[in-house]
């Protein structure tokens, strides 16, 4: 598991892959994983069966978001918004906005819907939403170790799930971002923005979009030094479950869990964390239009 110092330079955002150092070995028991990200169609079945209301559809309270301005205490979610022209890539608030009325049924806001997007990954899913779905489906979320093991598809030490070239023989292997970030996605890979599931070749384990398209929730709490902790443990750690408590020094008051896989916004100009050994993270109540999930189940 993990990423190397050598691949750090592939990412435009300095130091963002350092939490995936050093490369280390772990052991995971056998498990099954969904071949694709959970789709709008599947999530709708769950909502119809249970009446579940996602966090983005509920009105947030001051207690939950003490630093949010009062005008933002309305149901909604974060939506990527291209900037009118090139901007310094040092402040992501330039291209993320809190959109009132954005949720899984209305991915870009109240004027948009999921008609014709049945096979797209469900987005604007907070951690508890993903857990609720998984429980209903008789499954659970993957641990970070399970996710990375599955993503590597039986191969060790590669930069991407398919090898070390981002575009082998000129072919795009995942839905990422081309063009000028965050101004215009030129969609050379066939998709400017989110794509339906399974539009690119699967990895050797038959998993689609394990890299790119949307980030995916894992069950581990996030700490940047967790890989270093595992590496310093004696022997190979079996079935790691993540640290006991979350901590992200860049936003120390926020409780974050791990995201993996990168998204349709990944670009070497900013962030290339669709690289298979790298890590992401997110506050547990916060969804966005490039974050979804898939489930796993223990092998009997
Ligand atoms: Ca794309």
């Amino acid at each position: 598991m993990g990423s190397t110092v050598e691949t750090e330079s592939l990412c435009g955002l300095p130091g963002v892959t350092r939490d995936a150092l050093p490369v280390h070995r772990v052991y995971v028991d056998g498990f099954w994983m969904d071949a694709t990200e959970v789709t709008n169609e599947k999530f709708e079945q769950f909502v119809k069966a249970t009446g579940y209301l996602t966090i983005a559809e509920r009105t947030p309270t001051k207690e939950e978001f003490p630093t949010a301005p009062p005008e933002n205490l309305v149901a909604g979610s974060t939506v990527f918004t291209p900037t009118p022209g090139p901007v310094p890539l040092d402040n992501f608030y330039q291209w993320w906005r809190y959109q009132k009325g954005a949720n899984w049924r209305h991915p870009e806001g109240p004027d948009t819907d999921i008609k014709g997007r049945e096979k797209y990954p469900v987005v604007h899913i907070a951690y508890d939403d993903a857990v609720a779905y998984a429980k209903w489906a008789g499954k659970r979320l993957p641990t970070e170790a399970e996710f990375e093991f599955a993503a590597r598809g039986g191969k060790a030490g590669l930069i991407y799930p398919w090898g070390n070239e981002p575009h082998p023989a000129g072919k795009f292997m995942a839905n990422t971002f081309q063009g000028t970030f965050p101004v215009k996605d030129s969609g050379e890979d066939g998709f400017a923005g989110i794509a339906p599931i399974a539009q690119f070749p699967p990895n050797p384990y038959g998993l689609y979009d394990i890299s790119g398209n949307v980030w995916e929730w894992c069950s581990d709490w996030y700490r940047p030094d967790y890989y270093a902790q595992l590496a310093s443990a004696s022997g190979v750690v079996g079935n790691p479950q993540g640290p006991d408590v979350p901590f992200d020094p860049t936003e120390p008051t926020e409780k974050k869990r791990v995201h993996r896989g990168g998204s349709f916004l990944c670009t070497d100009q900013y962030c290339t964390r669709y690289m298979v050994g790298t890590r992401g993270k997110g506050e547990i109540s916060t969804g966005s239009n490039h974050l979804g999930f898939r489930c796993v189940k223990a092998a009997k």
Side-chain angles (χ1 to χ4, degrees), residues 32-33 35 147-156 158 160-163 173 200-211 276 294:
W32 296 102
M33 182 179 242
F147 190 99
E148 187 168 335
F149 179 86
R152 289 186 178 278
K155 299 176 183 210
L158 300 179
Y160 309 100
W162 54 84
M173 298 295 284
F200 295 85
N203 84 349
Y205 285 167
L207 303 169
Y208 292 90
D209 307 306
I210 200 73
S211 175
V276 68
R294 78 178 76 203

Side-chain angles (χ1 to χ4, degrees), residues 126-174:
Y127 183 76
D128 284 352
D129 303 333
V131 168
Y133 173 94
K135 238 177 222 169
W136 171 79
K139 303 177 189 177
R140 62 175 170 80
L141 294 181
T143 65
E144 182 171 25
E146 287 172 333
F147 190 99
E148 187 168 335
F149 179 86
R152 289 186 178 278
K155 299 176 183 210
L158 300 179
I159 300 174
Y160 309 100
W162 54 84
N164 286 329
E165 293 299 322
H167 312 301
K171 206 175 159 193
F172 284 94
M173 298 295 284

Side-chain angles (χ1 to χ4, degrees), residues 96-255:
W96 286 106
R97 73 171 195 280
Y98 188 76
Q99 170 63 53
K100 187 179 170 181
N103 58 53
W104 74 276
R105 294 180 194 277
H106 304 287
E108 286 87 37
D111 300 337
T112 63
D113 61 38
I114 53 170
K115 220 172 146 202
R117 294 207 209 179
E118 290 79 8
K119 303 285 185 200
Y120 282 63
V122 66
V123 291
H124 297 297
I125 295 299
Y127 183 76
D128 284 352
D129 303 333
V131 168
Y133 173 94
K135 238 177 222 169
W136 171 79
K139 303 177 189 177
R140 62 175 170 80
L141 294 181
T143 65
E144 182 171 25
E146 287 172 333
F147 190 99
E148 187 168 335
F149 179 86
R152 289 186 178 278
K155 299 176 183 210
L158 300 179
I159 300 174
Y160 309 100
W162 54 84
N164 286 329
E165 293 299 322
H167 312 301
K171 206 175 159 193
F172 284 94
M173 298 295 284
N175 184 19
T176 57
F177 187 105
Q178 297 84 48
T180 308
F181 187 84
V183 185
K184 190 170 169 47
D185 184 346
S186 57
E188 284 156 54
D189 58 18
F191 302 92
I194 195 169
I197 55 164
Q199 302 298 302
F200 295 85
N203 84 349
Y205 285 167
L207 303 169
Y208 292 90
D209 307 306
I210 200 73
S211 175
N213 212 22
V214 292
W215 283 98
E216 301 181 24
W217 283 111
C218 290
S219 56
D220 300 39
W221 286 118
Y222 173 79
R223 276 189 74 101
D225 56 359
Y226 186 58
Y227 274 24
Q229 280 178 30
L230 290 180
S232 67
S234 58
V236 175
V237 177
N239 299 304
Q241 304 291 311
D244 294 337
V245 285
F247 181 65
D248 181 358
T250 63
E251 287 177 306
T253 59
E254 301 212 329
K255 290 190 169 73

Side-chain angles (χ1 to χ4, degrees), residues 1-53:
M1 294 185 68
S3 186
T4 63
V5 174
E6 291 71 39
T7 57
E8 214 179 288
S9 61
L10 297 175
C11 209
L13 197 60
V16 79
T17 63
R18 266 171 223 162
D19 61 359
L21 302 176
V23 171
H24 60 283
R25 299 181 72 201
V26 302
Y27 175 90
V28 292
D29 290 331
F31 62 97
W32 296 102
M33 182 179 242
D34 291 345
T36 69
E37 291 152 350
V38 173
T39 57
N40 286 321
E41 188 175 61
K42 291 271 183 199
F43 199 77
E44 185 155 40
Q45 288 173 10
F46 155 64
V47 168
K48 276 190 174 150
T50 59
Y52 186 85
L53 200 62

